[in-house]
C-alpha cells in the first residue's frame, strides 16, 4: 500500500479498519502523523455514520411542509410533477450528458475563466504586435512615401529620398502609380 | 435478490417503475443528510431531495451505465442545492437541529423513541450531528461538498471529481484540507471544554 492508497482507506468508513492500513501507518511516519492530525474529524464522521442505525429504528415517517408520507414513497401528487421544475430536469439531463462524455472534467466556471483569460491574452498579443509595428524603426523605409509598399526583406534600399518624398507629398499623388513604382523598384532589386 | 443501481435504472428505462422505490430507499437518508448540512434548513433539504429523485425519474432515459448512478444522483443534488440556496439566499444559514421535536411547523421531526436506551443514543447522536453539520457550514463550500460526497455519499475520489467537475487530486486536496480544518475546530472546542 502506498501513501495515496492509505489516504483513500483512511477516509473510507468501510476500509479504515483494514489491517493493510494499520500496517502502512506503522511503517510510514508521514501517514501516521496525518492520521493523528485528522483523527478527531474522521471519528466524528464515523460516529455519524453509526447513528444511521439509530435513525432507522424510528418509524418510517417524516413530517414535512409538503405533507406526511413514508420515507420510501411519494404521494401521487408528487408524481404528477407538482414539485418538479423544468430546471431540475435540465440539471439532471445536463449532468448525464457531462458524465457520459467525461470530457468536461473541469467545471463550467473553469472554462469560462479560461475563455476570459484567452481573450485578454489575445488582446495583449494584438496590442503588442501593433505597438511593435508602430514603434519599430524602419531606416530608409521610414522615408517611403505614403502608399508605398514595405520593402521586401533583403531587398536593396529604396531609391526614393526624403527630398523626393517631400516633393511627392506636395503634388497630387496617384496612389496607384506610387505603389507601382515602389513595387517595380523592389522587384528589380531582387 | 437486490439489484444494483445500473440494473434498476435499466429496468426503469424499460418501464418497471415500481423498482424506483429501491433507489429512493437506498439513498434518501444520505441525500437528506447532505442537503440539510448544505442548506441549513430541513424543510428545504427535504424539498431538494424530493426534487432530485423526481428529476432522476423524469430524466431516466438520459442515464448511461458508463458512469455510476450515484455519481449522477449526487451531481444533481449538489446542483439543486446550489439553486435552492441562490433562490433563498436572503435567509441566514442557521441550523435548525435544535428545533427537532419543537412542535408543529418546526420542520421535519423524528417521533419520540419509545425505548429509553434508544432515546439516549439518539440524543447523543443528535448532538454530534449538530456539531458536525455546524462545522461543515463554516468550511469553504468546495471543501464541505467534497466531504459530504466522501462521507455522506461514500463516493470514490474519481466519482467526487466527476460530480464536482474537478480533478481527482483536487478532490483529495479538498477532503484533506476540510478534515484538517474540522480537526482543528474540534481540538479547539475540546480544549475550551476542559
Amino acid at each position: 500500500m502506498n501513501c495515496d492508497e492509505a489516504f483513500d482507506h483512511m477516509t473510507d468508513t468501510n476500509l479504515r479498519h483494514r489491517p493493510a492500513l494499520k500496517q502502512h501507518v506503522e511503517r510510514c511516519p508521514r501517514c501516521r502523523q496525518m492520521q493523528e492530525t485528522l483523527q478527531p474529524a474522521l471519528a466524528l464522521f464515523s460516529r455519524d455514520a453509526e447513528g444511521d442505525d439509530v435513525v432507522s429504528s424510528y418509524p418510517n415517517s417524516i413530517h414535512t411542509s409538503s405533507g406526511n408520507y413514508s420515507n420510501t414513497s411519494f404521494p401521487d401528487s408528487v408524481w404528477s410533477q407538482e414539485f418538479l421544475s423544468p430546471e431540475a430536469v435540465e440539471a439532471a439531463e445536463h449532468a448525464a450528458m457531462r458524465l457520459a462524455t467525461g470530457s468536461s472534467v473541469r467545471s463550467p466556471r473553469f472554462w469560462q475563466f479560461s475563455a476570459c483569460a484567452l481573450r485578454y491574452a489575445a488582446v495583449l498579443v494584438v496590442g503588442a504586435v501593433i505597438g511593435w509595428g508602430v514603434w519599430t524603426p524602419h531606416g530608409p523605409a521610414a522615408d517611403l512615401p505614403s502608399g508605398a509598399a514595405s520593402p521586401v526583406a533583403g531587398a536593396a534600399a529604396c531609391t526614393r529620398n526624403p527630398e523626393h518624398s517631400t516633393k511627392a507629398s506636395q503634388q497630387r499623388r496617384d496612389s496607384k502609380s506610387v505603389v507601382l513604382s515602389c513595387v517595380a523598384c523592389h522587384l528589380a532589386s531582387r | 435478490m437486490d439489484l444494483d443501481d445500473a440494473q434498476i435504472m435499466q429496468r426503469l428505462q424499460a418501464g418497471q417503475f415500481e423498482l424506483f422505490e429501491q433507489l429512493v430507499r437506498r439513498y434518501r437518508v444520505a441525500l437528506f443528510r447532505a442537503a440539510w448540512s448544505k442548506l441549513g434548513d430541513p424543510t428545504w433539504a427535504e424539498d431538494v431531495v424530493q426534487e432530485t429523485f423526481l428529476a432522476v425519474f423524469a430524466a431516466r432515459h438520459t442515464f448511461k451505465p458508463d458512469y455510476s448512478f450515484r455519481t449522477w444522483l449526487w451531481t444533481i443534488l449538489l446542483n439543486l442545492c446550489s439553486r435552492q440556496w441562490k433562490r433563498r439566499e436572503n435567509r441566514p444559514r442557521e441550523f435548525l437541529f435544535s428545533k427537532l421535536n419543537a412542535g408543529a411547523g418546526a420542520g421535519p421531526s423524528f417521533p419520540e423513541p419509545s425505548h429509553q436506551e434508544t432515546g439516549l443514543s439518539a440524543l447523543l447522536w443528535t448532538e454530534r450531528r449538530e456539531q458536525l453539520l455546524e462545522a461543515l457550514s463554516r468550511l469553504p463550500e468546495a471543501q464541505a461538498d467534497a466531504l459530504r460526497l466522501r462521507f455522506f455519499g461514500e463516493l470514490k475520489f474519481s466519482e467526487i471529481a466527476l460530480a464536482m467537475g474537478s480533478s481527482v487530486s483536487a478532490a483529495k486536496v479538498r477532503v484533506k484540507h476540510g478534515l484538517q480544518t474540522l480537526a482543528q475546530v474540534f481540538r479547539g472546542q475540546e480544549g475550551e471544554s476542559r
Side-chain angles (χ1 to χ4, degrees), chain B residues 64-95:
Chain B
K64 300 277 184 301
D66 306 335
Y67 48 88
S68 76
F69 168 77
R70 64 182 187 180
T71 305
W72 184 45
L73 182 69
W74 282 93
T75 304
I76 297 168
L77 180 84
L78 286 184
N79 287 340
L80 295 187
C81 280
S82 299
R83 205 182 295 254
Q84 178 77 284
W85 183 248
K86 281 174 190 166
R87 237 185 277 161
R88 309 193 195 211
E89 64 182 332
N90 288 331
R91 288 189 57 176
R93 182 179 292 191
E94 54 191 28
F95 280 97

Side-chain angles (χ1 to χ4, degrees), chain B residues 65-169:
Chain B
D66 306 335
Y67 48 88
S68 76
F69 168 77
R70 64 182 187 180
T71 305
W72 184 45
L73 182 69
W74 282 93
T75 304
I76 297 168
L77 180 84
L78 286 184
N79 287 340
L80 295 187
C81 280
S82 299
R83 205 182 295 254
Q84 178 77 284
W85 183 248
K86 281 174 190 166
R87 237 185 277 161
R88 309 193 195 211
E89 64 182 332
N90 288 331
R91 288 189 57 176
R93 182 179 292 191
E94 54 191 28
F95 280 97
L96 306 182
F97 250 110
S98 55
K99 292 186 182 177
L100 273 178
N101 293 321
S109 58
F110 293 106
E112 290 287 343
S114 55
H115 195 270
Q116 192 177 7
E117 191 177 309
T118 309
L120 182 61
S121 302
L123 280 171
L124 285 172
W125 174 81
T126 303
E127 189 182 323
R128 285 174 194 150
R129 167 63 66 83
E130 187 177 344
Q131 189 184 21
L132 173 61
L133 299 192
E134 191 179 2
L136 277 173
S137 71
R138 294 183 190 177
L139 291 176
E141 205 58 31
Q143 288 180 16
D145 279 348
L147 288 173
R148 290 178 187 114
L149 292 178
R150 183 67 177 162
F151 291 99
F152 295 161
E154 297 184 346
L155 264 60
K156 299 177 207 171
F157 283 112
S158 55
E159 292 173 319
I160 295 173
L162 278 174
M164 297 185 70
S166 73
S167 63
V168 173
S169 56

